[in-house]
Amino acid sequence: MILRSRKQPSQEPDLPQEPLRPETPFFAIGDVHGCDRLLDRLLHRLDKLGHPEALLVMVGDYVDRGEETARVLRRMTVLSEAAGDLMHCIMGNHEKMLLDTLDDPVANGPRWLRYGGLQTLASYRVPPVLGERPEAEWIDMRDRLAEALGEATIAWMRGLPLTWQTGNVVVVHAGADPALPIAGQERGNFLWGHPDFRRKPRADGLWVVHGHTITESPKVEQGRIPTDTGAYATGVLSAALVEADGVTYIHA
C-alpha cells in the first residue's frame, strides 16, 4: 500500500511550519525489530518504485521482539558496507540496551530480557539467564552473545549515530525536546523520547522523522513524520519517502 500526502499539515497560527526542504529525497524505514522477512519485502517494494536518487535511512531498533534479529543485523551490516553514503542507520533504544548488556550484563541484562532481549538471544541460539541467578551465569550469557554477534557487528552498533539530517529534516529514533536545538539535546531524548515531543511543535522550522512510538496509520502532523507501525506485532513494516513536495508512506 502506498499513501501520498502532498499538502503540508496546518500548524498553530503562531508557529507556522516551514515547507519540507530536504537536500536529497530519502526513504526512512521504521522500527524493524527482528522482522527480516518484512524488511526484505519492503526493500524490494522500494526498489520497484524506481527512485534511484533517494537515500535509505533506518530509524533504529533493528533488534529484539521479533524472531529474526540475527538475520536483520547481518543484512544491516552488509548493506551499510555496500551502500556507503547512500544508506544511514540511526541507533535505537534497543541497540543501546543490548550494548549496555554487553558492557555490564549483571546490571543491565534483566531489563534487556524483559523488553525483547529473549528473542534476540534465541535468534543467536544463546540460552538466557532466567530468574535470580549467580553473576557468573550473566557473564557467561554475555560472552556467548558477544561471540555469536562477532566483533564487526558489535562495532557497527557502537558506531551508530543518534541523528541524521538533510536540509530542514532531521531523523532520530524516538524524538527530541521541541524547546531545544538538536545540538543541545540530551542523548536520552533521541533514544527514549521527550514528554513534549508529541504535544508541542518545534519553533525552529525543523521537521523530525522518527520511530519508537507505534502508530497503526502514520501521518504527518505538526512537523513530525512517524514511521513505526509495530512490525513485530502487526506484521506491517513501513517507510516514509520524504521529498520537497511531501511525504509518501509505503507499507509492506
Side-chain angles (χ1 to χ4, degrees), residues 11-12 22 32 40 71 74 76 99:
Q11 299 293 309
E12 297 178 5
V32 176
D40 183 67
R71 289 167 55 181
R74 279 197 298 271
M76 287 294 94
L99 292 171

Side-chain angles (χ1 to χ4, degrees), residues 129-153:
V129 175
L130 301 175
E132 297 291 333
R133 305 299 301 169
E135 292 186 3
E137 293 190 20
W138 287 101
I139 294 171
D140 180 65
M141 183 197 77
R142 184 273 310 279
D143 292 345
R144 292 188 183 196
L145 177 60
E147 182 178 3
L149 285 165
E151 293 182 3
T153 298

Side-chain angles (χ1 to χ4, degrees), residues 19-225:
L20 274 167
R21 294 194 306 270
E23 295 176 358
T24 182
F26 65 94
F27 293 106
I29 294 182
D31 304 33
V32 176
H33 273 309
C35 297
D36 187 67
R37 281 171 286 188
L38 289 179
L39 177 58
D40 183 67
R41 186 190 308 168
L42 181 58
L43 289 173
H44 277 92
R45 184 161 294 179
L46 299 185
D47 187 57
K48 289 181 180 179
L49 289 178
H51 208 323
E53 68 272 27
L55 304 182
L56 183 63
V57 184
M58 311 292 296
V59 306
D61 277 7
Y62 317 102
V63 306
D64 300 347
R65 301 199 187 280
E67 306 297 329
E68 303 162 339
T69 285
R71 289 167 55 181
V72 170
L73 287 181
R74 279 197 298 271
R75 184 188 296 273
M76 287 294 94
T77 53
V78 170
L79 284 178
S80 294
E81 183 175 356
D85 291 339
L86 300 179
M87 179 178 180
H88 301 272
C89 298
I90 303 300
M91 181 181 289
N93 62 303
H94 281 260
E95 285 75 56
K96 182 64 165 61
M97 285 193 291
L98 191 159
L99 292 171
D100 287 346
T101 297
L102 293 176
D103 292 337
D104 190 342
V106 176
N108 302 313
R111 183 188 188 210
W112 177 56
L113 296 188
R114 289 196 302 271
Y115 289 97
L118 286 172
Q119 288 84 358
T120 292
L121 289 175
S123 75
Y124 284 103
R125 299 183 179 181
V126 175
V129 175
L130 301 175
E132 297 291 333
R133 305 299 301 169
E135 292 186 3
E137 293 190 20
W138 287 101
I139 294 171
D140 180 65
M141 183 197 77
R142 184 273 310 279
D143 292 345
R144 292 188 183 196
L145 177 60
E147 182 178 3
L149 285 165
E151 293 182 3
T153 298
I154 295 172
W156 178 81
M157 282 192 289
R158 291 194 187 280
L160 292 173
L162 296 179
T163 68
W164 179 79
Q165 185 169 349
T166 176
N168 69 338
V169 187
V170 61
V171 181
V172 302
H173 173 64
D177 183 347
L180 295 175
I182 295 299
Q185 303 278 329
E186 295 182 0
R187 289 173 55 89
N189 292 342
F190 298 134
L191 293 168
W192 297 96
H194 186 275
D196 290 336
F197 176 62
R198 299 175 65 199
R199 296 194 301 224
K200 299 179 181 178
R202 299 189 64 83
D204 56 8
L206 277 182
W207 291 74
V208 180
V209 179
H210 68 96
H212 189 68
T213 302
I214 295 175
T215 176
E216 292 184 7
S217 301
K219 62 181 180 179
V220 179
E221 190 172 44
Q222 292 191 324
R224 298 183 297 272
I225 305 174

